[in-house]
């Protein structure tokens, strides 16, 4: 409202000027009324900038036709309407309405006073608000885009944090399952064997109980390592975590299984290579879970491990002979977490895993894990 009153005052002052060599209009109220109409129309320029510009342009053209000098004061409402149009609409609408308005004003000026060919001034005064409005619109769009990007980045950061938390929870759950399932299965078998040999073979019982102590101690160490990241920040630095297990512990894993009465054979083909930490841990956990399944579910007490190293991959195969217990078949169908965890581990490092009963009997777990490329050996210089 204040801006409209200020613009009406400008037009009222501009109406006091008449064209050269022409008599002043007898009454000034028509021009003042048209100026008031233009200024009132500006109040709706935010909602309907095109319609408002048409109303102001018609009023301005009539005022010029009455014989008034075209000055910036007279064109003030029209300039404000052009600015609102350019700042609030797209380029196509601005060009259609804006240039039509400029052409109408210039044509009226020429018709009103054909001897006055100075039309550069009105053109410049009317094109200026179009350019300023477009600049304001572009600046507003840029600020909105920056704000939208900031909101998107904040939202994406929160989603990424939640995803990382979910992934970490899944990793800890897999580690806990592998550690607890493996060591408890061995401990159960060892405790049962110790109870069986308690009276008849005390020496064998003592050996099995010693192995049981090692199994529980190993379980405690691996549990500590699995949940180490959940410690409070105030935990003492002296509580050093155990490194993540890898294939270097395969012999200890085989010994633990053999102490529970499972005969494990190992065959390695190809040249063993150093594995990345993720693949090394995945390979160990797959072997651990596969041997745990043999301990708990297989009807035979023997398992065979085969490691095949090639240029780009490591193939791990764990098989057992005999028949497969119903619980293992259920696990294959997805009701257990052991095979699901093995598949997730293999996929997490870019590999794959297949598991199922063998046609000739028994069960087989086969995993294919990627290996880093071999570095060529440097040629010796003479």
């Amino acid at each position: 409202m204040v801006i409209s009153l200020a613009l009406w005052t400008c037009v009222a002052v501009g109406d006091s000027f008449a064209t050269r060599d022409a008599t002043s209009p007898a009454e000034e109220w028509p021009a003042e009324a048209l100026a008031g109409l233009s200024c009132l129309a500006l109040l709706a320029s935010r909602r309907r900038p095109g319609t408002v510009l048409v109303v102001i342009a018609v009023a301005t053209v009539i005022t010029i036709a009455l014989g008034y000098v075209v000055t910036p004061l007279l064109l003030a409402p029209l300039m404000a309407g052009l600015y609102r149009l350019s700042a609030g609409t797209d380029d196509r609408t601005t060009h259609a309405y804006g240039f039509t308005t400029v052409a109408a004003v210039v044509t009226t000026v020429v018709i009103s006073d054909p001897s006055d060919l100075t039309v550069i001034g009105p053109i410049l005064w009317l094109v200026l608000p179009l350019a300023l409005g477009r600049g304001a619109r572009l600046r507003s769009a840029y600020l909105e885009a920056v704000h939208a990007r900031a909101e998107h980045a904040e939202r994406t950061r929160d989603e990424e944090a939640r995803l990382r938390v979910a992934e970490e929870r899944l990793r800890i759950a897999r580690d806990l399952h592998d550690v607890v399932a493996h060591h408890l299965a061995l401990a159960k078998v060892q405790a049962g064997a110790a109870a069986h040999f308690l009276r008849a073979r005390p020496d064998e019982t003592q050996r099995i109980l010693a192995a049981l102590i090692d199994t529980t101690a190993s379980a405690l160490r691996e549990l500590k390592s699995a949940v180490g990241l959940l410690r409070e920040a105030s935990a003492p630095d002296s509580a050093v975590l155990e490194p993540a297990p890898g294939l270097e512990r395969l012999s200890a894993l085989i010994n633990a299984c053999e102490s529970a009465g499972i005969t494990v054979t190992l065959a390695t083909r190809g040249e063993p290579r150093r594995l990345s930490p993720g693949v090394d841990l995945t390979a160990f956990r797959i072997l651990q879970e596969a041997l745990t399944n043999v301990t708990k579910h297989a009807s035979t007490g023997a398992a065979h491990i085969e490691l095949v190293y090639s240029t780009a991959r490591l193939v791990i195969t764990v098989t057992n002979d005999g028949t497969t217990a119903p619980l293992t078949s259920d696990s294959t169908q997805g009701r257990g977490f052991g095979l699901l965890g093995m598949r997730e581990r293999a996929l997490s490092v870019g590999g794959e895993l297949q598991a199922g009963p063998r046609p000739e009997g028994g069960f087989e777990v086969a995993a294919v894990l990627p290996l880093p490329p071999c570095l060529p050996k440097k040629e010796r210089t003479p």
Side-chain angles (χ1 to χ4, degrees):
M1 179 64 73
V2 175
I3 296 177
S4 296
L5 290 176
L7 292 175
W8 184 84
T9 303
C10 292
V11 177
V13 174
D15 289 344
S16 62
F17 299 98
T19 57
R20 294 191 303 269
D21 302 329
T23 58
S24 299
E27 296 180 354
E28 294 185 357
W29 69 265
E32 293 177 355
L34 292 172
L37 176 64
S38 300
C39 294
L40 288 176
L42 281 173
L43 297 178
S45 61
R46 290 186 180 274
R47 298 187 300 272
R48 298 179 177 274
T51 303
V52 170
L53 180 64
V54 171
V55 173
I56 298 175
V58 171
T60 303
V61 167
I62 294 175
T63 303
I64 295 174
L66 292 176
Y68 290 95
V69 177
V70 181
T71 63
L73 295 177
L74 182 66
L75 296 177
L78 186 59
M79 294 169 64
L82 289 171
Y83 178 85
R84 292 291 192 189
L85 177 76
S86 181
T89 60
D90 56 279
D91 287 339
R92 184 175 181 179
T93 303
T94 300
H95 294 163
Y97 281 86
F99 292 137
T100 301
T101 300
V102 174
V105 171
V106 172
T107 301
T108 304
V109 171
V110 173
I111 293 176
S112 299
D113 190 3
S115 61
D116 188 4
L117 300 180
T118 307
V119 295
I120 302 299
I123 293 176
L124 294 178
W125 283 111
L126 296 179
V127 171
L128 179 62
L130 291 176
L132 294 177
R134 186 175 187 274
R137 173 163 51 85
L138 294 178
R139 183 171 59 255
S140 177
Y142 171 76
L143 294 177
E144 289 180 0
V146 171
H147 183 66
R149 284 198 298 269
E151 289 183 348
H152 177 71
E154 184 69 23
R155 186 169 57 254
T156 303
R157 184 163 52 249
D158 293 341
E159 293 176 357
E160 183 178 357
R162 286 193 295 269
L163 180 60
R164 289 182 179 275
V165 170
E167 291 177 349
E168 186 63 19
R169 289 177 60 186
L170 180 61
R171 184 195 67 80
I172 294 174
R174 283 200 301 258
D175 286 345
L176 289 177
H177 173 271
D178 293 343
V179 172
V180 173
H182 172 71
H183 289 93
L184 286 184
L186 288 180
K188 178 182 177 181
V189 174
Q190 290 168 342
H196 179 72
F197 295 127
L198 180 59
R199 295 181 179 178
R201 300 168 62 179
D203 295 339
E204 184 69 15
T205 301
Q206 194 168 17
R207 185 189 67 81
I208 294 175
L209 289 178
L212 179 59
I213 294 174
D214 292 339
T215 300
T216 55
S218 178
L220 290 175
R221 286 196 303 269
E222 292 202 29
L223 280 175
K224 182 180 179 181
S225 177
V227 301
L229 294 178
L230 302 180
R231 295 181 308 162
E232 297 182 359
S234 59
D237 296 336
S238 58
V240 180
L241 298 180
E242 188 179 53
L247 290 184
E248 74 278 356
R249 297 193 192 178
L250 182 56
S251 59
L253 178 63
I254 293 175
N255 293 335
C257 291
E258 290 179 342
S259 68
I262 304 297
T263 302
V264 182
T265 58
L266 173 63
T268 303
R269 292 194 299 167
E271 183 180 356
R273 294 168 49 190
R274 184 179 182 86
L275 307 180
S276 63
V279 173
D280 201 15
L281 174 62
T282 299
F284 178 82
R285 291 302 188 195
I286 289 175
L287 289 169
Q288 185 182 56
E289 180 62 27
L291 292 177
T292 300
N293 288 340
V294 173
T295 304
K296 294 192 298 182
H297 308 311
S299 60
T300 182
H304 179 68
I305 300 174
E306 184 179 47
L307 304 179
V308 180
Y309 291 87
S310 62
T311 304
R313 64 181 188 173
L314 167 64
V315 180
I316 301 173
T317 306
V318 181
T319 58
N320 67 278
D321 299 327
T323 58
T324 305
L327 183 58
T328 305
S329 300
D330 293 343
S331 299
T332 306
Q333 296 172 3
R335 299 203 312 216
F337 293 101
L339 296 180
L340 178 61
M342 286 193 288
R343 288 193 179 95
E344 290 178 347
R345 284 189 178 277
L347 291 175
S348 68
V349 295
E352 58 183 9
L353 182 138
Q354 295 181 351
R358 303 169 63 198
E360 62 273 20
F363 201 80
E364 179 180 87
V365 175
V368 179
L369 305 179
L371 294 178
C374 294
L375 296 177
K377 296 181 179 180
K378 296 182 179 180
E379 297 182 359
R380 295 182 179 180
T381 57

